[in-house]
Amino acid sequence: MQVNNGPGRHPVFMAPSNGSAGYTPGRVAPVRSPPPAKAPPPPPLKPPSLAPARPAAVHLSEAGSWREHAQNQQRKNAYICTGISLGALLLTIILVLSLTSGDVLDENCPDHDPTLRTWNPGQDPKKAVVVGSGERFRLVASTTLQSLTIQSGGVVVFADKKDGSKNITLRTRHVLIENGGALHIGGPKCRYHSRATITLVGRSDDTSIPEVPGFGRKFVGVRAGGTLELHGFERPSWTFLSRTVPASGLATGGYAFQRNFSRGINLRVVDQDSGAVLLAERFDTHESFNDSRRLGQLLQMLPSGRIVALAVGDSAVKSLLDETKRTIQELLGSTYVYDLKYRQAWALVAVLGRGNGSCTEDTREHENHDTGGRALARRDFVTVDGVRFSVTAYSEWRNGFPISGFQVDAVDQVILNLQDDISSWRASERIVMASTDYSMHQAEEFTLLPCPHCTKRQVRIQGKPQFTHMGEIVDGVDMRAEVALLSRNILIQGEMERSCYANNWCQYFSHDTFGGHIKILGNFTSVHLSQVELKHMGQQAVRGSYPIHFHLCGDVDQRGGYNQPTYLDSLSIHHSFSRCVTIHATNGLLVRDTVGYDALGHCFFLEDGIEQRNTFFHNLGLVTKPGTILPTDRNDTMCTEIRDRVYKGYVPSPATECKAVSTFWIANPNNNLINNAAAGSQDAGIWYIFHNASTGDTHGLVPETKAELTPLGIFYNNRVHSNFKAGLFIDKGVKTTNATSTDPREYLCLDNNARFRPHEDSDSSKPRVAALIDTLISFKNNDLGAWIRGGDIIIQNSGFADNGVGLSFASDGSYPKDIGSSQEVSESLFVGESKNRGFNGGQNKYWGAGGVDNKMRTLPRNKTFPTRGFQIYDGPVRLLRSTFKSYTSTSERFTSAVGFNLKNVWQLTPRNNLSSLYFLPSVTLRAFFGRPGQWFEDNDLDGDKNSIFHDLDGSVSGYPDTYAVRADNYLVRHPDCVNMPQWNGCVCSGRYAQVYIKTQGVPNLSLSIIRDEYPDKPLVLRGINSQGALSQQYQPVLMMSKSYTLHWNGQAPKEIVLSLVNFDLGDWTLLGLCYPSDTAFQVISDFYHRQTNVFEGMEDYGSVSSLAELEKRAMDRKYFFDKSTGLLWLYTRARHGRSGHSYCSIRGCERVKITATTSTKQTCNCTAATYPKYSRTPSAAVPMPKPVQSCSRCGASKLAFSSNPSISYLQTQIKPLSVAEEQKNDTQAFITVNNAQYNLTKNGFLMVSADACTGKVTKHSFFAKLDSKMEQYFKAGIPVRSIVLLASRGQPDGFAGVAQYLVPLGAAKVADLKGKGSLAFFGFHVSPSAQPWASLQVGQGEEAVGLQERYIPLSLQEYACPPPTEQPARKDLDLLRKALS
């Protein structure tokens, strides 16, 4: 029950009625009384009057009679007690005997409770059952009911058997648990082993059964006093791929061919080590003896071990020579080739030179232009990397047409290598594998197949993947695909119609969207759900009906009186019709290990903006699609068509009011996100949104949430990828008022009314509290890896790759609202275009050349979109100790490590500073200021022109303590600036700040600013407000200690306020403002205190008679009006210092206010009269520093950014070199381990061994050839638990013989290295099974191996490393404990 504790306070919820008694895990919950009624309690009852005491008269005979009666009663009680004991014993014996031989009576198992009675209500869909007081049932068989209500101490427990054979299905319209009722399926210490299914039935338009108030239809509901305990069999909920799975399952892509009338023998030669088709030819052995000879000659020339597939098309025997038949028989092992007949179908797959045992062939007789089916030959093989594949040949006549074909594929043979032990995942269960490309629609579902040869970290899938799914760290960023188990042995599902019907938004959805739902109301006794599958849940057309919904529950942890805090653990919520988990006015809920897949609308959803202290730990959400419920759920079409809550005919703007559907919708910052993955949403992965007041059902309960001021909860080790709009988004609020004529937008649409600026205790008068984003992995997001607006935000230990824009900060707001906060990024990695080239399909829109190798790849936004790693919007921002790699422009687009917001009208601060950055050689454009053209348009808005950043140490430009500015901005440059033509910028020394110019009284004004040293280079600013506004704002960046003149394209403003922004003590500029010569002035200075909106310290400026006198009295508050030129000259000088990142001084914001009175209405541009009179010679106020060499300690300290931060990784690179590459003037061959390079300068082999536990290189050895020394090294010279790296150069003797020694190190078989040009091998010594990162790459002919890179995990359990002296810290678990404390 929710009660209001007064205005302005958070809602207070009543504690559970049994106080701290709580719920004992695994046991049937005690009956909890319903919450007290709202009515006042009745008056106390008056105690009954007692009769006056009087002594009893006792006689002997009476005493004897009493003794005899007492003895008889004692004997009677003894008989009763004995009977009860025997009955209880008998009941216990019956219960024990009813258990299987493997079951033992366990008090932790709810269905072992001896007080339960066997219950089998049968099949009656019209029967509404109420289980009430004294009724404690063990459901032992499937049943169908109209409804099931459990109340007043009633208990229903699903029966179970340890062997999993007790499968029970309950079909019903709804289950309602209330007022002391309890439903149990398993317990946390006694997991349910059988399969339990609750199927919720009913249509949305079925009015024959009335809705249940507060719940509606088709639900499992928990009211006050209710207990819901569901605990399925424990298994890992989701994990990561540990090896990349290519599209089709084969790195070569597979092969398929079919043709009619391909007469003769069709041949395919397949590489046995890779599955690649090496040769495809047709030999017309029906008409051509020459073709027959060519076929025999070709087979004789092929190396032994090649896979050969043959298939007849039409007919093949007329000219098939005996010598060719003999060759086919001897080399391929055929037994049918000598007996082939006219138009007989024949197919063969064999390994050349391996005899009949390696041959599979089949024939079909031809009759009446039909063979009655295919002659089909198929054999299974394995690549050198352990990938199983099949080669199939077929031949047939069908309906008068001869058909032949071939397939090379991995159908039903693809093995997924996974990070964790998933041996509990079972054949026939369903999994989903996330996209690792830009489109979330590359996520794929599979059914698991039996796999007796799989390890405990492998599963086999049915079919084959359509897309590539990465299973490794790529270029230092963890891009491994998430793999989730969808199946659970407890299933709650909605029974669905075949198609959409009635009022279920059928204009947007072709399928039924009226699923089941689970709703929990406040003051429940106990709710814990673990290992439960929720399928076809949620109701798109009914608000509040979600797969699982905690509705107005208040504190559900120990603060709310729950000794066992409420949790959702390892749920699988998939194919949902409205969200995944909704937390509504509920605090302290733990949601962990839960999967939300294919949901409509926000998936993990905080509803009203007052939900706090909830913890999301290790959850996965993927394929989050638009829905209809809220404006923020909707896509373009829904946004403009659903208008029942806007004012009259208003048409919403999708870009600003809708299009925000997110996997994690966090409506209050005081919640915790640890180890989560947002792996694909139509809009955002994680969105922090800010409600300035409570909304929805709690509207008005909290008039001011102060969410914008609330410190951020824990944010650690979360990953966001494959989202269309942004990975992480921290910005904006929602509209908290209904639509009106003045604001016709819909309630709860997006609103640009919030700026995140956390303070201690959510109190703006108290110190700021920095929001920490620690360990964010963001890749393959179309627009933005992360967009974060606000103050005092720190990002650290994060990796960004393949995003349209990696990271963009936006400040709290514009001056004077923004008091000058800061944003910082450190110890992070930015990758422009990684080696994850993606796959052209799955709704990826753009495909083109890119990356360091300029190969074809998927692209964000557009082929021409200017990719940027770190985007500067306004500031101040600090970027330090970070690394950039793979930012290489192409002929179609600019790709820069550092860039600026496109078409920016906003101000930029010179306090944006960069330091200790490291740029790999793959970065060809470190910074870019834009250029007129597509995306940049004219590149002439105010923010574009004022783009600037401070290169503190020269790690960007090579010149320390300099500023990078736009090349054509002569307000900030000087003659000694170093031009950077590629950047469209230059690098200058000096001191820089901003003058905030606010005008009043004249609309449509543009400001032209001229530095006196460059009178022919004006900078024209439009202002940031709309052109028709009477008030305008300009904020030019100026070089300090210089003079400038200001001119207008219309009348001079009646009032101008000049505010000093980012001026340090003593900084000054001399400004001349253009006015008509008859103007009278009032000039005053003051200090503005933004917190209190108070002005103080006002002083009038006095006039002087000349500019020379003004310059002499520069420290005084004076002005000079030169009527001959129309210039009002005055100094803007900082008289007080600043503190921290504040825009203003410690005294307040120093301002100069000019009020002008004139009767003239002329255009005030005084340029012609000003120059050359006031022209000055250009000079540098601060000398240019000397250039610095490369920074040895710059860049991020980590090389790999993983979603397993507790695991260290070894960066390894192998670059072999073939003879063909040397002939093209390539001279480099080497092995690199964590940036330590071991060069291979001579022909031969280089082997490097590194300890798999510590990463330390233990050996590096060169061998000129495979000789006894190298053979002995393979056999006994490699240390145990070693990562083994091998590279070749040239064609050393014994090259092919190396293959046999690679098998014990992880190769799946002896590779055929004859005729190969080079090799790179990653292996491990020694392990019972190959490591998933083990790999052999071979170059042949013109195909070079190139640079191969692997990030290899260290100290894994399977390496059998010595136990550490102390267990490595698990920061995520420490933070989880902190969150729950």
Side-chain angles (χ1 to χ4, degrees), residues 118-157:
T118 298
W119 188 43
N120 183 2
Q123 307 293 326
D124 188 350
K126 295 184 179 181
K127 184 178 181 180
V129 173
V130 177
V131 178
S133 177
E135 297 178 309
R136 302 169 65 80
F137 294 143
R138 180 188 301 105
L139 182 62
V140 296
S142 295
T143 185
T144 299
L145 304 171
Q146 177 181 293
S147 64
L148 173 62
T149 301
I150 311 171
Q151 63 185 21
S152 305
V155 175
V156 174
V157 179

Side-chain angles (χ1 to χ4, degrees), residues 125 159 185 303 334 394 459 509 634 761 866-867 1086 1209 1234 1242 1267 1304:
I185 306 178
S334 172
Y394 56 89
V459 292
F509 309 105
R634 299 170 191 158
D761 298 329
T867 302
D1086 60 23
Y1209 287 82
N1234 277 2
K1242 297 181 294 185
D1267 53 14

Side-chain angles (χ1 to χ4, degrees), residues 176-198:
L176 180 60
I177 310 159
E178 61 183 356
N179 190 20
L183 173 63
H184 293 262
I185 306 178
K189 295 183 179 180
C190 179
R191 297 291 175 153
Y192 196 75
H193 290 83
S194 305
R195 181 165 182 80
T197 302
I198 299 176

Side-chain angles (χ1 to χ4, degrees), residues 480-510:
R480 295 173 298 165
E482 299 86 354
V483 181
L485 180 68
L486 297 179
S487 303
R488 300 290 190 274
N489 67 315
I490 298 178
L491 168 65
I492 301 178
Q493 63 181 351
E495 184 177 85
M496 309 308 296
E497 301 294 323
R498 293 184 179 273
S499 61
C500 190
Y501 64 92
N503 298 318
N504 289 312
W505 297 110
C506 298
Q507 64 269 47
Y508 304 121
F509 309 105
S510 60

Side-chain angles (χ1 to χ4, degrees), residues 988-1168:
C988 303
S989 57
R991 295 181 59 79
Y992 298 87
Q994 300 144 278
V995 175
Y996 173 81
I997 303 167
K998 184 176 181 180
T999 64
Q1000 291 282 358
V1002 181
N1004 303 315
L1005 275 183
S1006 291
L1007 168 63
S1008 177
I1009 310 179
I1010 302 173
R1011 197 163 108 207
D1012 291 343
E1013 296 174 346
Y1014 297 100
D1016 60 338
K1017 305 291 185 182
L1019 186 76
V1020 178
L1021 301 179
R1022 305 177 185 180
I1024 65 172
N1025 294 336
S1026 63
Q1027 283 294 296
L1030 291 176
S1031 174
Q1032 192 54 270
Q1033 303 174 41
Y1034 316 88
Q1035 198 167 142
V1037 175
L1038 304 179
M1039 181 183 287
M1040 298 294 95
S1041 307
K1042 298 291 181 178
S1043 58
Y1044 304 83
T1045 60
L1046 283 68
H1047 312 268
W1048 313 96
N1049 67 340
Q1051 298 178 47
K1054 297 176 182 178
E1055 180 181 292
I1056 298 177
V1057 176
L1058 307 174
S1059 298
L1060 281 57
V1061 178
N1062 286 312
F1063 275 58
D1064 290 324
L1065 177 63
D1067 282 346
W1068 62 268
T1069 60
L1070 177 60
L1071 302 182
L1073 293 87
C1074 180
Y1075 287 98
S1077 57
D1078 65 342
T1079 305
F1081 301 98
Q1082 180 186 25
V1083 183
I1084 61 172
S1085 67
D1086 60 23
F1087 295 91
Y1088 171 52
H1089 296 277
R1090 285 170 294 183
Q1091 293 280 10
T1092 58
N1093 201 31
V1094 170
F1095 299 88
E1096 56 96 13
M1098 284 184 269
E1099 292 186 35
D1100 286 316
Y1101 272 60
S1103 64
V1104 295
S1105 59
S1106 68
L1107 182 59
E1109 183 181 356
L1110 179 66
E1111 289 174 339
K1112 289 179 183 178
R1113 303 180 63 178
M1115 299 300 294
D1116 297 339
R1117 301 190 191 276
K1118 300 294 182 180
Y1119 69 85
F1120 165 62
F1121 183 46
D1122 182 355
K1123 292 188 177 182
S1124 66
T1125 60
L1127 292 177
L1128 173 70
W1129 289 96
L1130 52 80
Y1131 279 94
T1132 54
R1133 179 185 297 275
R1135 301 172 188 274
H1136 301 274
R1138 293 184 305 116
S1139 175
H1141 301 283
S1142 178
Y1143 288 156
C1144 299
S1145 75
I1146 55 176
R1147 174 83 184 272
C1149 296
E1150 300 184 66
R1151 310 188 321 155
V1152 178
K1153 182 178 178 181
I1154 304 166
T1155 305
T1157 304
T1158 179
S1159 59
T1160 304
K1161 297 185 178 180
Q1162 66 188 41
T1163 297
C1164 281
N1165 189 322
C1166 306
T1167 305

Side-chain angles (χ1 to χ4, degrees), residues 366-493:
H366 174 269
E367 185 177 349
N368 296 326
H369 300 290
D370 204 300
T371 54
R374 284 182 173 179
L376 181 71
R378 169 176 169 154
R379 287 190 73 86
D380 294 336
F381 302 93
V382 63
T383 71
V384 72
D385 284 335
V387 177
R388 296 168 183 263
F389 67 98
S390 300
V391 176
T392 304
Y394 56 89
S395 171
E396 69 174 318
W397 280 81
R398 189 194 314 153
N399 300 324
F401 293 94
I403 301 169
S404 59
F406 302 91
Q407 280 183 257
V408 180
D409 61 36
V411 172
D412 292 348
Q413 298 193 72
V414 176
I415 302 295
L416 306 185
N417 290 272
L418 303 173
Q419 172 185 277
D420 298 303
D421 179 351
I422 40 73
S423 53
S424 57
W425 293 8
R426 300 163 182 164
S428 79
E429 293 185 325
R430 297 286 288 175
I431 64 168
V432 63
M433 185 159 51
S435 168
T436 53
D437 207 346
Y438 292 108
S439 172
M440 69 177 180
H441 298 288
Q442 287 191 9
E444 299 185 75
E445 290 182 54
F446 298 101
T447 298
L448 298 183
L449 296 175
C451 188
H453 59 270
C454 284
T455 71
K456 64 182 181 180
R457 289 182 170 85
Q458 293 178 324
V459 292
R460 175 174 162 233
I461 60 173
Q462 188 177 61
K464 61 181 180 180
Q466 184 179 352
F467 310 107
T468 296
H469 300 267
M470 301 305 294
E472 57 196 275
I473 292 177
V474 184
D475 286 314
V477 177
D478 190 346
M479 298 193 190
R480 295 173 298 165
E482 299 86 354
V483 181
L485 180 68
L486 297 179
S487 303
R488 300 290 190 274
N489 67 315
I490 298 178
L491 168 65
I492 301 178
Q493 63 181 351

